[in-house]
Each structure stands twice: as C-alpha cells, then as structure tokens.
Amino acid sequence: MAETAQVRARIGKRWRRGGWLAAAALTLSTLAGTAPAHSAAPAQEVTLPLSQAIARLPVAVEDRTGYDRDREFGSGWTDEDRDGCNTRQEVLLAEAVTPPTVTGRCTLSGGSWYSWYDEQTVTATDIDHVVPLAEAWDSGAKFWTRDRRVAYANYLNDPRHLEAVSQRTNRQKADQDVAEWLPVESVRCRYLTYWVPIKLSWSLAVDTAELDALSALAADCPDSDITYTPVP
C-alpha cells in the first residue's frame, strides 16, 4: 500500500545514511544464521489490516502517577552508535527535504523539512514522539526499566516513531493522544497508521476514549495492511 511504500522509502533513506539502521537491519537479516544457539530468536514482523490491529490493542485505564520526563526517559538525546550524531540529529538528517550542512561532530545548519502534521515546509523543527513519552508512561511504560524507557525515547529502528515537525504543531500536540489532538484532516489516516503500530510494537495499552477515537477515525480510512515488529 502507499503508506507502506512511504515507510519503506524512509527506511531506505536511513539505510543510505550509513548509521544505526544499516547496522540494525544487517543484524536482523543475518541473526538466524550467525547467532549462538542460546540466543533468542528475533521478533517476527506482523502484518494485518488496520481494523484488526486496532482490535488487538489492549485496553486499560491510564495513570500518570509518578511521571517525570527527565528522570524516567532521560534528560537528553543519546548517540547510540557513537558517530557524533544524536537521535535528534539522525532524524533531521534522515527526513530533510533540503539537507543541512554538517560540520564538526554533527553540528547542523540550514536545511528544510516537510512537516506533514500541518503540511508545511519549515526550516525550524521539533522532533515529535508520535506516541508521546507521557502517553507511553500512562499506557504501560511506567512498568518498564528505565533503560527501556530511554530506548523508547531514542528509538530509531522504526521510522514512524520520531518525526521532524513544525514547532507550532509539536507544541500544540504536547502529550495528547488521538482522542485529544490530531493533525490536519488530510493526513489523519496516515497518523493513525503510525500511532497504532507503535502502540502494538511496544505493547502499550489504550484507554476507552482513545480506542473510541481510533475506531471512529479508522471508519473513514482504508482498511489497508499495517506492519509492525514487537520490540523485545
């Protein structure tokens, strides 16, 4: 489907970047033949229609007790592959419409980005967690280890997870879920096909208001296949 093609195109773009995704994809593709006998098998990719994916989401009451973004998810972007570019910079490089100039240890200047939340091309962006950190906490991340939460905050293995968007829309959205905030109408189906697989990949729950909103939105969207891979 068109949405799947868009995601795969972005995966290819990040592969050409030569950093984190190339290593991750190579590891996954060769793991079965090279891993020691005692290693766990890699998670299997799941593909199913959007309506079935929504039905698979666990439902639970959300609870923000104890949430502290910096303490629980880390106070800054990490540089997992130690190439000098942190998570924010990796996303900016991968999603640039006009590539920024890179100097020194990944200092970026210039460049432009297409903020699809509001269909604007911008030169100043925020990096949005499609499923916000506070929403993840409410939906089950409070029970994870801190290391897993930091990994969630910096996750680059799924190009749907982090988006370079206009500062205005990122700040309007804040930590709201789909029952509380949505991008412009023309891209809401796309937003849905990002939100749902992220929640499924990380085994995050939805509350009843969120589930109702997802179901109502999906009724106006193609019931196309979405793909996700559970994160171990």
Side-chain angles (χ1 to χ4, degrees):
M1 296 295 179
E3 182 58 38
T4 301
Q6 287 178 338
V7 170
R8 294 193 184 281
R10 289 179 58 197
I11 289 174
K13 188 174 184 180
R14 292 185 177 181
W15 180 286
R16 291 190 294 275
R17 168 83 178 97
W20 55 270
L21 189 56
L26 181 60
T27 298
L28 288 175
S29 66
T30 60
L31 189 58
T34 62
H38 63 271
S39 295
Q44 296 297 307
E45 188 176 84
V46 179
T47 300
L48 69 172
L50 176 61
S51 59
Q52 293 182 28
I54 292 172
R56 186 172 291 196
L57 289 164
V59 180
V61 175
E62 294 187 356
D63 177 19
R64 195 158 296 185
T65 303
Y67 175 70
D68 183 302
R69 177 183 175 122
D70 289 350
R71 184 183 69 226
E72 302 298 346
F73 288 89
S75 59
W77 301 107
T78 63
D79 178 11
E80 185 176 354
D81 61 8
R82 300 180 184 277
D83 68 348
C85 297
N86 64 27
T87 301
R88 171 184 169 80
Q89 293 161 334
E90 295 278 13
V91 174
L92 291 174
L93 288 167
E95 298 185 4
V97 175
T98 304
T101 299
V102 184
T103 57
R105 289 289 286 173
C106 210
T107 298
L108 309 184
S109 60
S112 65
W113 291 264
Y114 182 68
S115 169
W116 61 270
Y117 284 8
D118 52 358
E119 299 185 314
Q120 301 292 318
T121 298
V122 295
T123 56
T125 70
D126 283 346
I127 304 300
D128 180 55
H129 293 87
V130 173
V131 176
L133 301 184
E135 170 65 21
W137 174 268
D138 298 350
S139 306
K142 64 170 64 67
F143 302 114
W144 300 348
T145 64
R146 185 178 184 278
D147 284 349
R148 183 174 174 83
R149 288 193 291 268
V150 172
Y152 178 89
N154 290 273
Y155 196 62
L156 291 168
N157 288 8
D158 183 345
R160 298 168 294 196
H161 193 81
L162 294 166
E163 291 293 319
V165 301
S166 69
Q167 294 173 341
R168 180 178 64 86
T169 55
N170 186 57
R171 294 165 195 184
Q172 285 177 346
K173 174 185 173 180
D175 57 11
Q176 299 178 93
D177 70 18
V178 294
E180 302 162 318
W181 184 90
L182 289 167
V184 296
E185 187 172 358
S186 57
V187 299
R188 288 178 182 174
C189 291
R190 178 179 179 180
Y191 191 69
L192 196 64
T193 63
Y194 282 42
W195 186 278
V196 173
I198 292 169
K199 284 245 168 170
L200 288 170
S201 294
W202 291 86
S203 300
L204 293 171
V206 295
D207 62 15
T208 53
E210 184 182 347
L211 180 62
D212 289 347
L214 290 170
S215 299
L217 286 165
D220 294 326
C221 297
D223 196 23
S224 55
D225 285 350
I226 63 168
T227 298
Y228 69 95
T229 302
V231 177

